[in-house]
Amino acid sequence: MKQLARAGHKVNLFDEHLAWEKPCGGGLTHKAIQCFPFLLDNPYPKKLVNSVELISSEDHYATLEMPHPIVIYSRTVLNGMLLDRAREAGCMVQRSRVMSVDTTARKPRYCVQGDWQEADFLVLAAGARNQLVPESRALQRDELEMTQGYFVPQTRDSITIKFLRNFEGYIWSFPRCDHLSVGICGSMSSHTSAELRGHLQTFVDKHGVQTEGAKFIAMCCHRRRSARFRSEP
């Protein structure tokens, strides 16, 4: 989007949330930093982590020390930084929701606040359950994961990933700049919200994560991750 705007194209970005917080995500790998150095070289608050602790379903531990850090942002900070760069490049950023899309005409059209507009190109990033394009369909339960997590007012120096037996998903603890993001994701078709909450509570109790004063984020739906993130059978 930024490159299009700098090349002289008119670029409009519509998002009903803009920069908002989520318990998952915010970690950027060394490969991402190499491709986009601004993700590290900036004044925005971030946490650099060189250690990852992996815990198997049988509670076997392995620690990986990385020569290059994972850079971890709060999602609010990361999303806000990307939006700021888009604005600086000339994009028009508007807090609005695209309510409908029409792809039957020569050029695609979209409706924002009751006003239909035309575009040369239309890029949709509307989430796993969007049905804005008539020929598309919303993802079903067996294609989705749900996520729950805490924003804990403490931080640590390493990432922790915990796997569970017979569980399609995992638990994570990501240290951010001023808080700890601790959460769990699992298949919506295989696990209930209560099951996820129970597994997460067991983890935080065992690992000394103080959830008093923490903010709990209820489930959100997203596309399932690939099989390599599933726990052992």
Side-chain angles (χ1 to χ4, degrees):
M1 297 298 181
K2 182 189 73 172
Q3 285 87 344
L4 289 172
R6 286 184 171 173
H9 298 283
K10 181 180 179 182
V11 179
N12 296 325
L13 296 177
F14 300 97
D15 191 323
E16 62 179 318
H17 298 297
L18 296 182
W20 59 297
E21 194 57 277
K22 293 176 67 176
C24 55
L28 304 174
T29 64
H30 178 61
K31 184 180 290 187
I33 299 300
Q34 284 183 308
C35 293
F36 306 102
F38 76 87
L39 292 171
L40 177 62
D41 300 329
N42 63 69
Y44 292 85
K46 64 187 77 66
K47 179 87 173 181
L48 274 61
V49 176
N50 286 86
S51 179
V52 178
E53 180 182 60
L54 302 177
I55 309 174
S56 76
S57 60
E58 299 296 334
D59 278 346
H60 298 143
Y61 287 69
T63 300
L64 306 178
E65 298 296 336
M66 300 174 292
H68 304 288
I70 291 177
V71 181
I72 304 178
Y73 287 91
S74 156
R75 288 297 294 270
T76 298
V77 172
L78 179 59
N79 294 355
M81 174 175 62
L82 298 178
L83 288 170
D84 286 345
R85 287 176 61 85
R87 291 189 187 94
E88 292 166 2
C91 296
M92 190 283 289
V93 180
Q94 180 177 328
R95 186 168 188 166
S96 296
R97 182 179 180 182
V98 175
M99 301 301 297
S100 187
V101 169
D102 176 17
T103 59
T104 61
R106 185 177 62 87
K107 290 185 177 182
R109 299 192 308 144
Y110 59 94
C111 181
V112 176
Q113 298 179 342
D115 179 31
W116 282 93
Q117 302 180 43
E118 187 179 76
D120 292 321
F121 296 94
L122 184 61
V123 179
L124 295 176
R129 287 188 163 181
N130 97 82
Q131 288 181 279
L132 288 174
V133 179
E135 56 268 26
S136 67
R137 67 169 179 83
L139 297 180
Q140 305 302 308
R141 285 185 64 87
D142 62 350
E143 300 173 294
L144 294 169
E145 287 183 342
M146 54 183 166
T147 300
Q148 299 180 7
Y150 287 103
F151 298 137
V152 182
Q154 67 184 80
T155 190
R156 297 183 176 182
D157 293 325
S158 65
I159 293 169
T160 300
I161 303 294
K162 164 66 175 171
F163 298 100
L164 303 168
R165 179 165 291 278
N166 298 320
F167 185 86
E168 293 188 46
Y170 55 93
I171 297 171
W172 75 84
S173 172
F174 261 46
R176 294 177 174 178
C177 185
D178 60 357
H179 69 272
L180 197 63
S181 173
V182 182
I184 185 171
C185 63
S187 166
M188 287 190 66
S189 62
S190 303
H191 313 294
T192 67
S193 177
E195 287 174 340
L196 263 66
R197 184 72 178 267
H199 286 308
L200 182 58
Q201 192 60 48
T202 298
F203 175 84
V204 298
D205 290 344
K206 182 173 182 177
H207 292 271
V209 179
Q210 300 299 319
T211 57
E212 182 178 352
K215 181 180 180 180
F216 180 75
I217 302 296
M219 71 177 186
C220 52
C221 300
H222 49 84
R223 185 185 296 273
R224 283 173 63 178
R225 289 166 172 80
S226 70
R228 69 177 183 274
F229 291 109
R230 297 178 187 174
S231 296
E232 306 103 290

Coordinates of all heavy atoms in Angstrom, one line a residue, residues 103 133-137:
T103 N -18.8 -7.1 -7.4 CA -17.8 -7.4 -8.3 C -18.4 -7.7 -9.7 O -17.7 -8.3 -10.6 CB -17.0 -8.7 -7.9 OG1 -17.9 -9.8 -7.7 CG2 -16.3 -8.4 -6.6
V133 N -17.5 -11.0 -0.7 CA -17.5 -11.3 -2.1 C -18.5 -12.5 -2.3 O -18.5 -13.5 -1.6 CB -16.1 -11.8 -2.5 CG1 -16.1 -12.2 -4.0 CG2 -15.1 -10.7 -2.3
P134 N -19.5 -12.3 -3.2 CA -20.6 -13.3 -3.4 C -20.1 -14.7 -3.7 O -20.7 -15.6 -3.2 CB -21.4 -12.7 -4.6 CG -21.1 -11.2 -4.5 CD -19.7 -11.1 -4.0
E135 N -19.0 -14.8 -4.4 CA -18.6 -16.2 -4.8 C -17.7 -16.8 -3.7 O -17.2 -17.9 -3.9 CB -17.8 -16.1 -6.1 CG -16.6 -15.2 -6.1 CD -16.9 -13.8 -6.6 OE1 -18.1 -13.4 -6.5 OE2 -16.0 -13.1 -7.1
S136 N -17.5 -16.2 -2.6 CA -16.8 -16.7 -1.5 C -17.7 -17.3 -0.4 O -18.9 -17.1 -0.5 CB -15.8 -15.7 -0.9 OG -16.6 -14.6 -0.2
R137 N -17.1 -18.0 0.6 CA -17.9 -18.5 1.7 C -17.2 -18.3 3.0 O -15.9 -18.2 3.0 CB -18.2 -20.0 1.5 CG -17.0 -20.9 1.6 CD -17.3 -22.3 1.7 NE -16.2 -23.2 1.8 CZ -15.5 -23.5 2.9 NH1 -15.9 -22.9 4.0 NH2 -14.4 -24.3 2.9

